[in-house]
Amino acid sequence: MAQDSTTILTMTGISKAFPGVQALSDVDFALRQGEIHALMGENGAGKSTLIKVLTGVERPDTGVIMLDGREIQAKSPLQAQAQGISTVYQEINLCPNLSVAENILLGREPRRLGGIDWHALNKRAAEILRRLEVEIDVSQSVGMYPVAIQQMVAISRALDVSAKALILDEPTSSLSAHETDKLFAVMEKLKSEGLGIIFVTHFLDQVYRVTDRITVLRNGKLVGTYPTAELSRVELVAHMIGRELSDLEAVGRYKTRVVEHDHAARVVEARDFGRIGGMKPFDLDLYAGEVVGMAGLLGSGRTETANLLFGVDQPDSGNLTVEGKKVTHHAPLQSIHMGMGYCPEDRKADGIVGDLTVRENIILALQASQGWFQYINPAKQYAIADKYIELLDISTPTADQLIKNLSGGNQQKVILARWLATEPEILILDEPTRGIDVGVKAEIQKLVLTLAQEGKTCVFISSELDEVLRTSHRVLVLRDQEIVAELGMDDLNEQTIMQIIAGDTHDEPL
Amino acid sequence: MTSLSRGWERIRNAGLFWPLAALALVMLFNLIFTPNFFRLEIKNGHLFGSLIDILNRGAPLMLMAIGMTLVIATAGVDLSVGAVAAICAATATVLVGNVTGATNMPLWEVIPITLGVALLCGLWNGLLVSRARIEPMVATLVLMVAGRGIAQLITGGQIITVYYERFFYFGAGYLLGLPFTLFIVAGVMLFAWLMTRRTAIGLFIESVGTNASASFYSGINEKNVKLLAYVFCAFCAGIAGIIISSNVKSADANNVGLYMELDAILSVVIGGTLMSGGRFSLAGSVVGALLIQSVTTTIYAFGVPPEVVLVVKAVVVLFVVLLYSQPVKVALDKLSRRRGVRA
Amino acid sequence: MKRTPHIDRKYLPLMVTIALFIGLYLYGMVQYRGFSSPQVFYNLLIDNAFLIITSIGMTFVILAGGIDLSVGAMIAFTTVLSAYMLENLGLSPILVIPGVLLFGVLFGATMGAIIHFFKVQPFIVTLAGMFFARGMCFVISTDAITISDPFYRAVALYRIPVFGTGFISINVVIVLIVLLAALYLAHLTRFGRTVYAIGGNEQSALLMGLPVARTKILVYMLNGFCSALAGVVFSIYMLSGYGLYTNGLELEAIASVVIGGTMLTGGVGYVIGTVFGVLIQGLIQTIIMFQGTLNSWWTKIVVGLLTLVFIGLQSAFNSPRFIRRAEARAIRAEADPALEAAK
């Protein structure tokens, strides 16, 4: 990696493994003084692990971090902060119940006569905020202010600790366009004062608006660091998604047939269906026997669409018809009764029930759909569990193993089994192959195609484009909470999709 | 991992191991130090002895522990069981009335009405927790505070004494030579076991207690599962209240079930159900309750002031809690793993 | 970017509390003769001195997101220990008072350390503390011990006139000193602000570099001190020590804190609110006393309902954004350990 006099922070050869996952392998990263440096990558690319290593939340297995020519080894975020690396997290780590002034200065508050000098405290906090052109009543609780202000307060606190490098982790994800503008103005100002800023985001527009350089990670490896002006959007998306423009292949040969969309086979019909803050109102039709892929970057509305369809989130507008019946009560149980199944994106938080056995996890949704009193007796439970353990080749010593003791891939198979056991007509899979080794990935993709062949409908959401292409008969491309394009079998190729994702069709890179 | 460490793991993970071991220890202590502890006599066709005494006196606690188990398994807690017992004791005694040898209302009406009151209490707690989304400890605290006032309201602030023989049967009667309370406990236990293990309710409770979000995604109605747990818990507390008032032939709104919520929680924790919810063991909780009662009885047998039992309880709570605590668990795991590596 | 909210919602519960107190007081004055005598107010302070002190300590614990169930037992234990040392051992009050206060501090510190280092729920640890303290009372003495120490008697009987309008006791002076100290601690020291920060978001407090571990333990130490001091005040008030004193007082203290406008989840609330919380409970009792026909159990019911109302108020006053953020945090916290457990 190019070293020059203005480089303030370098990370060299950083590797970090978690049980079962190599989160980072041999990653290099350098931050210059007075630059805004975007860190990009899809889920699981290793961005957050890299940030955690840098801020002392995680210790790297190998690698060296140098700040100002000195090697640093932060054991905690606190130490990292003391050494000059400050972070503003997406969830904004403030105490919402304390005043703005306290949040900025607590721990080094001015004192007078053996007590906190509130007058001086408020005055100093107001001065610090004024530097960021924020004028608010600093004696009010932080929780009462909008997120944008909270962000500024968090940045103020970070800056006051003599920061050399500032990490902004997804700072704009809950800001309005106007608030984002304000934030960017502040970032530019800090940059001109010589601060190095690492900007983690998934909004391409913003990357091109404020950043000087871009570092892309994929699957825990460094793809490269590029000057923003020299990297086109399509190239960036290609780097993130992992398909080089040069090895684009003709797609379509994976599928054996084209699905005829005759009217009778339409199983899902969404009209003007949407939720404020999730997905803008959309129309969607799903047909029997097809796999519909959903492509788009993180935050584009992929998961939000799935949550809406399955009734996890309540819609604000529009209506949904499943198998000819209008959905009146949006809740997972109702969706199951209507023949739907849903493997959520976050396997740990929303998928597995860790302390239950594989068998119990498999029959959970089936049992829920049958109600409290139609108990599936143990013999039948074992029969169902064993059937799917064999069918999906789940590697577990017995059906009575606790699911939390299984590997990620096998846990995912159990969740799939849970839904297959309900014999759904429509199966929504959100990132079903994330963090899973290649062999299992292929199995899951094959399974999806088999289900379609049997006449079921699958919605396949993935950030890996080749996977979406390999399995889908039709691909919906999402961007900024909208379905921006629908591509049939004939139009399916990676370049088109990437261009649409990048918003390149009407907006050339800088 | 070696067979040694895996064996150790299996023993530690076997739900009933620790509570039964502790109970055995108390029994062993009594075998050596308490004369006649294990002697059973038959007087008037009824079985008497310390063991029977433990079972009989422990009945209300066992009942509460059974109900509390389900609540704790949903990752909640019910602080109001003592107060609910007091309300039900008050209701039952007031309905029976203090007429010598007679009752104001036939028992077949008194009991359902009293249990109905218990169900209402449970419904109140359950709705606060599941619908109003108030933290369980806070939500049930309300009834814990107000409940004793309500009980006093029902008794008019008096200690109501009853003189109706047949009412005493619940707490002091004998059936087939055994205390009738045992049959009540067995009945409730059987009901709870059938409800949780022969319907899907047990699975749903464990699922909700382990991961409420994943349960919701799987179509489980998490709110109703919680509601049911609180209603059942209050139901058990209600029966306990009837037994207590029947046993002491009166109801003192201030003292019926006092501190029993804490004993019940303790029984559940000793029985191997974690306060964080999830897997539960009804049998474990009953053994936990018996352990507490045996310790109490043993201490009584030594003529120590009964309140000193509390000190012993404190030590037991602390021991159990530390044993199950995260840092200790991690340390134990590390220890067994290291042993595994060396072997 | 100038956006100023009109009223900080965190003051609203406190305002409601004070308005409620004034309203109740006015009601009493209009309704009952003799209620407007200043002595009625002074008696409120005299009779509730110990409760105010222990509730102030509890306020800090709850502000930091914890709970302490041991205070009632701790007060009883202090009375017994004081009485025993004064009467049976014949020690001087100069030794006894610092001695019991020191014990309170150590007792609190032990509980705080277990809570923090073993990551056990405060509820369970302080429950064990409560059992322990209650039991130890009876290890020392099963009967009430009357205090005949001349110093205690002199303090108990001393009346301080207040501008000819009535009198207060020395206990009230102690309360006022404790109150001032608590206000200073809560609002003017880093310790106090750290308590608020921990209650608001412990993770953030850690990232801000605040001494979370030390503060959490200090909070329980402070509460141990307050309950021991309340015990000293109570033994002066009763002039005796007895293990059955202040049964269930922890509930009254918690209720006072909640009625005083402090959120049970921590982070929001005021020491001064707690004082009004105690006074409101005392006032309800006084009104019921003046009323003459109502019975004392109404106090419990009203206090229970007030607790619920204030819990409801707090959730209503807190903006949805505040709550949604907290939920997201909880979900993330759940997800994180799961990540580590993955194999």
Side-chain angles (χ1 to χ4, degrees):
Chain A
M1 179 149 297
Q3 297 276 336
D4 54 63
S5 58
T6 60
T7 299
I8 46 170
L9 173 79
T10 56
M11 301 175 78
T12 330
I14 305 288
S15 294
K16 173 80 191 173
F18 293 109
V21 196
Q22 184 70 34
L24 287 176
S25 43
D26 199 24
V27 171
D28 297 337
F29 179 81
L31 180 70
R32 291 177 193 151
Q33 207 175 357
E35 80 163 340
I36 300 176
H37 194 137
L39 187 58
M40 307 282 295
E42 284 289 89
N43 268 334
K47 295 179 295 193
S48 56
T49 311
L50 190 70
I51 297 293
K52 280 181 180 163
V53 165
L54 183 56
T55 53
V57 177
E58 303 279 359
R59 308 288 307 274
D61 298 336
T62 63
V64 182
I65 304 172
M66 308 269 281
L67 182 71
D68 266 350
R70 237 168 4 96
E71 183 175 346
I72 58 167
Q73 275 181 338
K75 290 192 186 70
S76 69
L78 213 55
Q79 282 189 5
Q81 213 172 33
Q83 283 161 334
I85 300 172
S86 288
T87 315
V88 177
Y89 296 96
Q90 186 179 7
E91 63 268 31
I92 312 178
N93 275 288
L94 296 174
C95 293
N97 55 326
L98 296 186
S99 78
V100 170
E102 282 183 277
N103 268 293
I104 296 176
L105 289 168
L106 199 58
R108 24 174 217 284
E109 62 280 326
R111 307 168 65 82
R112 192 173 59 109
L113 299 174
I116 295 172
D117 185 346
W118 284 92
H119 184 71
L121 177 79
N122 287 340
K123 218 175 115 199
R124 238 174 80 189
E127 276 165 19
I128 294 168
L129 275 177
R130 211 165 292 133
R131 234 180 89 195
L132 304 185
E133 284 157 10
V134 178
E135 296 244 14
I136 53 170
D137 181 355
V138 293
S139 63
Q140 297 278 344
S141 311
V142 146
M144 308 316 301
Y145 285 102
V147 183
I149 302 268
Q150 296 187 16
Q151 200 106 51
M152 291 299 173
V153 173
I155 292 175
S156 301
R157 181 176 179 92
L159 291 181
D160 199 61
V161 203
S162 63
K164 299 184 183 94
L166 176 66
I167 301 164
L168 298 176
D169 186 7
E170 301 278 9
T172 57
S173 52
S174 39
L175 300 190
S176 71
H178 178 68
E179 290 165 337
T180 305
D181 290 344
K182 278 283 179 193
L183 177 69
F184 286 171
V186 167
M187 283 165 66
E188 293 284 359
K189 184 162 188 269
L190 295 174
K191 172 182 153 184
S192 68
E193 289 170 12
L195 197 72
I197 299 174
I198 301 173
F199 181 43
V200 183
T201 185
H202 55 257
F203 293 111
L204 294 188
D205 285 347
Q206 299 178 356
V207 167
Y208 282 97
R209 265 180 62 193
V210 289
T211 65
D212 304 298
R213 289 197 298 166
I214 302 172
T215 291
V216 181
L217 299 180
R218 191 179 64 241
N219 296 331
K221 295 193 185 72
L222 176 73
V223 177
T225 298
Y226 315 92
T228 307
E230 291 166 23
L231 188 70
S232 78
R233 285 176 182 230
V234 177
E235 282 169 332
L236 173 58
V237 172
H239 287 318
M240 287 168 65
I241 295 176
R243 305 301 288 179
E244 298 306 328
L245 289 172
S246 51
D247 50 61
L248 281 181
E249 296 165 84
V251 191
R253 61 184 162 90
Y254 301 105
K255 261 85 62 180
T256 49
R257 71 206 161 86
V258 175
V259 179
E260 298 290 334
H261 287 172
D262 54 87
H263 187 75
R266 183 159 66 188
V267 288
V268 170
E269 188 182 338
R271 289 291 172 267
D272 196 29
F273 203 51
R275 174 184 166 86
I276 296 160
M279 267 299 273
K280 293 173 189 160
F282 61 91
D283 293 346
L284 176 66
D285 292 302
L286 299 177
Y287 297 86
E290 69 170 351
V291 180
V292 177
M294 282 201 190
L297 296 176
L298 188 69
S300 60
R302 321 180 287 207
T303 301
E304 289 77 0
T305 307
N307 281 347
L308 271 174
L309 289 177
F310 197 63
V312 171
D313 290 333
Q314 299 297 312
D316 295 322
S317 69
N319 53 63
L320 179 69
T321 310
V322 178
E323 306 246 22
K325 282 183 288 245
K326 200 170 162 207
V327 180
T328 48
H329 184 63
H330 297 274
L333 184 57
Q334 271 57 44
S335 304
I336 296 170
H337 283 315
M338 305 203 94
M340 293 166 86
Y342 177 30
C343 288
E345 180 185 25
D346 192 335
R347 193 166 57 230
K348 287 265 153 47
D350 305 323
I352 66 165
V353 183
D355 283 341
L356 297 192
T357 63
V358 169
R359 162 179 57 96
E360 288 166 323
N361 268 285
I362 289 178
I363 61 130
L364 199 59
L366 180 64
Q367 180 66 70
S369 73
Q370 295 197 353
W372 292 9
F373 298 110
Q374 271 192 32
Y375 185 55
I376 306 169
N377 66 50
K380 188 134 180 257
Q381 290 188 12
Y382 280 110
I384 295 170
D386 289 340
K387 174 180 155 196
Y388 285 102
I389 287 173
E390 201 194 311
L391 185 75
L392 299 181
D393 196 19
I394 298 170
S395 128
T396 173
T398 67
D400 285 326
Q401 176 73 272
L402 296 188
I403 192 174
K404 66 179 176 190
N405 295 332
L406 262 52
S407 73
N410 283 304
Q411 288 180 351
Q412 188 67 55
K413 284 185 182 175
V414 172
I415 306 298
L416 276 170
R418 175 189 294 169
W419 292 112
L420 293 182
T422 67
E423 295 176 354
E425 289 306 312
I426 306 138
L427 190 57
I428 307 170
L429 306 169
D430 192 356
E431 296 279 10
T433 64
R434 178 182 307 157
I436 287 175
D437 62 64
V438 183
V440 180
K441 260 184 192 178
E443 283 175 51
I444 290 178
Q445 291 163 6
K446 217 174 81 196
L447 177 75
V448 168
L449 284 171
T450 315
L451 286 172
Q453 240 149 35
E454 289 167 4
K456 320 267 184 187
T457 309
C458 287
V459 176
F460 194 91
I461 303 173
S462 173
S463 45
E464 289 179 42
L465 213 45
D466 62 332
E467 183 178 79
V468 174
L469 288 172
R470 190 172 312 146
T471 49
S472 308
H473 299 101
R474 186 158 67 99
V475 174
L476 304 172
V477 186
L478 284 80
R479 192 179 65 222
D480 295 338
Q481 307 179 349
E482 267 183 295
I483 299 175
V484 289
E486 182 188 327
L487 304 174
M489 201 75 119
D490 303 331
D491 315 318
L492 280 184
N493 68 70
E494 297 200 359
Q495 180 145 32
T496 320
I497 293 179
M498 280 192 294
Q499 272 171 345
I500 299 170
I501 289 176
D504 215 19
T505 44
H506 49 76
D507 198 9
E508 281 302 306
L510 296 169
Chain B
M1 248 184 235
T2 63
S3 61
L4 180 78
S5 61
R6 208 175 297 149
W8 164 240
E9 194 120 309
R10 202 176 304 149
I11 287 172
R12 258 204 301 147
N13 290 342
L16 278 177
F17 175 76
W18 286 112
L20 277 178
L23 192 60
L25 211 65
V26 175
M27 290 301 153
L28 189 70
F29 178 86
N30 279 306
L31 185 66
I32 300 168
F33 296 103
T34 319
N36 299 332
F37 191 83
F38 286 90
R39 204 169 75 195
L40 294 175
E41 296 180 276
I42 296 179
K43 284 185 209 157
N44 307 331
H46 304 334
L47 219 47
F48 280 95
S50 296
L51 290 179
I52 297 295
D53 200 45
I54 289 173
L55 289 170
N56 193 16
R57 281 175 194 276
L61 182 58
M62 286 192 270
L63 288 171
M64 286 188 187
I66 291 169
M68 187 69 80
T69 308
L70 299 194
V71 169
I72 289 183
T74 64
V77 71
D78 187 350
L79 298 183
S80 71
V81 288
V84 171
I87 291 175
C88 291
T91 311
T93 49
V94 166
L95 290 180
V96 169
N98 53 358
V99 191
T100 310
T103 176
N104 287 337
M105 191 189 266
L107 281 184
W108 57 268
E109 285 179 23
V110 170
I111 301 304
I113 290 176
T114 308
L115 294 180
V117 170
L119 292 179
L120 278 181
C121 293
L123 204 61
W124 164 264
N125 282 333
L127 288 176
L128 284 185
V129 172
S130 69
R131 298 313 199 275
R133 301 226 160 252
I134 299 175
E135 221 183 304
M137 215 174 82
V138 181
T140 55
L141 184 75
V142 174
L143 192 56
M144 185 187 186
V145 177
R148 298 220 170 259
I150 295 170
Q152 277 175 323
L153 187 69
I154 294 169
T155 62
Q158 312 291 314
I159 295 177
I160 304 266
T161 310
V162 286
Y163 306 97
Y164 182 52
E165 281 290 333
R166 288 167 77 179
F167 181 67
F168 305 153
Y169 190 71
F170 295 109
Y174 280 82
L175 182 68
L176 306 172
L178 290 168
F180 184 63
T181 51
L182 281 190
F183 292 92
I184 300 179
V185 173
V188 171
M189 179 67 182
L190 184 69
F191 176 75
W193 185 81
L194 286 175
M195 180 174 86
T196 55
R197 300 304 180 201
R198 281 292 169 268
T199 75
I201 293 168
L203 175 68
F204 289 172
I205 287 175
E206 289 180 338
S207 180
V208 166
T210 308
N211 186 341
S213 174
S215 307
F216 172 67
Y217 274 82
S218 302
I220 295 169
N221 190 332
E222 160 227 359
K223 291 179 185 171
N224 288 350
V225 170
K226 284 185 178 163
L227 183 63
L228 177 80
Y230 285 90
V231 169
F232 180 71
C233 184
F235 176 74
C236 291
I239 300 177
I242 295 175
I243 291 180
I244 294 168
S245 61
S246 155
N247 195 298
V248 299
K249 304 179 170 59
S250 66
D252 173 358
N254 274 326
N255 287 314
V256 171
L258 191 66
Y259 292 136
M260 277 189 73
E261 55 278 339
L262 305 179
D263 280 350
I265 295 168
L266 181 56
S267 309
V268 174
V269 173
I270 291 176
T273 303
L274 296 181
M275 287 285 287
S276 51
R279 289 279 179 202
F280 65 88
S281 162
L282 290 168
S285 301
V286 170
V287 173
L290 280 176
L291 177 65
I292 291 175
Q293 192 59 46
S294 321
V295 171
T296 312
T297 307
T298 307
I299 290 174
Y300 282 172
F302 276 80
V304 178
E307 290 82 0
V308 177
V309 173
L310 291 170
V311 179
V312 179
K313 269 188 207 166
V315 174
V316 173
V317 180
L318 212 58
F319 179 74
V320 171
V321 157
L322 292 187
L323 197 73
Y324 284 128
S325 76
Q326 205 55 41
V328 173
K329 221 180 226 171
V330 169
L332 283 177
D333 279 348
K334 232 180 236 167
L335 203 71
S336 59
R337 206 172 300 146
R338 194 175 308 149
R339 217 183 286 153
V341 169
R342 209 178 296 150
Chain C
M1 244 190 203
K2 188 158 181 163
R3 266 184 234 187
T4 317
H6 295 298
I7 312 167
D8 203 329
R9 292 180 182 187
K10 67 184 178 185
Y11 293 118
L12 280 175
L14 180 64
M15 289 174 186
V16 173
T17 304
I18 295 175
L20 183 65
F21 176 76
I22 295 172
L24 276 175
Y25 213 101
L26 287 178
Y27 170 83
M29 293 213 286
V30 171
Q31 210 70 12
Y32 308 109
R33 218 169 358 129
F35 207 96
S36 51
S37 155
Q39 193 57 45
V40 169
F41 180 72
Y42 300 147
N43 283 344
L44 215 51
L45 291 176
I46 293 170
D47 296 337
N48 292 297
F50 68 102
L51 184 55
I52 296 179
I53 294 173
T54 197
S55 299
I56 286 175
M58 183 73 85
T59 309
F60 281 90
V61 175
I62 291 181
L63 278 176
I67 195 127
D68 190 346
L69 299 182
S70 72
V71 294
M74 195 52 212
I75 291 173
F77 179 71
T78 309
T79 65
V80 173
L81 186 63
S82 307
Y84 181 78
M85 292 206 291
L86 290 167
E87 302 302 317
N88 299 40
L89 302 182
L91 293 177
S92 150
I94 300 171
L95 287 175
V96 170
I97 294 175
V100 294
L101 292 181
L102 183 69
F103 181 82
V105 169
L106 292 178
F107 190 74
T110 310
M111 292 195 299
I114 293 174
I115 290 166
H116 182 76
F117 292 113
F118 288 92
K119 300 192 188 352
V120 187
Q121 293 105 323
F123 179 82
I124 294 285
V125 177
T126 57
L127 172 63
M130 164 182 160
F131 282 155
F132 184 79
R134 206 44 96 177
M136 286 309 284
C137 294
F138 298 97
V139 172
I140 294 174
S141 166
T142 43
D143 302 315
I145 309 172
T146 308
I147 296 175
S148 55
D149 180 83
F151 176 76
Y152 270 64
R153 292 208 161 253
V155 172
L157 296 176
Y158 195 79
R159 294 280 173 263
I160 304 166
V162 189
F163 311 120
T165 57
F167 61 87
I168 55 173
S169 64
I170 289 179
N171 281 346
V172 175
V173 178
I174 298 175
V175 167
L176 293 177
I177 294 169
V178 169
L179 176 61
L180 287 178
L183 287 173
Y184 167 75
L185 268 182
H187 300 293
L188 288 174
T189 64
R190 186 179 295 175
F191 164 75
R193 303 322 293 169
T194 307
V195 168
Y196 277 88
I198 293 172
N201 185 341
E202 188 171 335
Q203 190 61 33
S204 295
L206 259 176
L207 284 174
M208 283 183 180
L210 301 173
V212 171
R214 194 178 71 205
T215 307
K216 271 171 84 177
I217 294 169
L218 273 173
V219 158
Y220 286 94
M221 278 172 80
L222 176 68
N223 195 34
F225 174 82
C226 283
S227 50
L229 184 62
V232 170
V233 165
F234 197 67
S235 45
I236 290 170
Y237 182 68
M238 301 299 282
L239 282 177
S240 59
Y242 188 29
L244 286 180
Y245 279 157
T246 59
N247 239 342
L249 189 88
E250 53 282 343
L251 288 183
E252 285 177 45
I254 294 169
S256 302
V257 175
V258 172
I259 294 175
T262 300
M263 277 183 73
L264 263 176
T265 44
V268 181
Y270 297 93
V271 170
I272 195 74
T274 299
V275 175
F276 280 101
V278 176
L279 291 181
I280 286 173
Q281 290 192 49
L283 205 52
I284 293 169
Q285 252 163 359
T286 312
I287 288 175
I288 284 169
M289 204 179 70
F290 267 81
Q291 210 271 346
T293 58
L294 276 177
N295 288 303
S296 64
W297 55 80
W298 279 104
T299 316
K300 279 182 183 163
I301 298 177
V302 173
V303 168
L305 287 178
L306 270 183
T307 312
L308 180 69
V309 166
F310 272 84
I311 292 166
L313 274 183
Q314 286 160 356
S315 26
F317 283 155
N318 281 288
S319 67
R321 193 192 303 134
F322 190 109
I323 295 158
R324 217 181 300 146
R325 174 94 28 81
E327 275 172 2
R329 214 183 295 131
I331 290 165
R332 227 170 282 126
E334 262 173 38
D336 262 354
L339 199 84
E340 285 171 29
K343 280 184 183 166

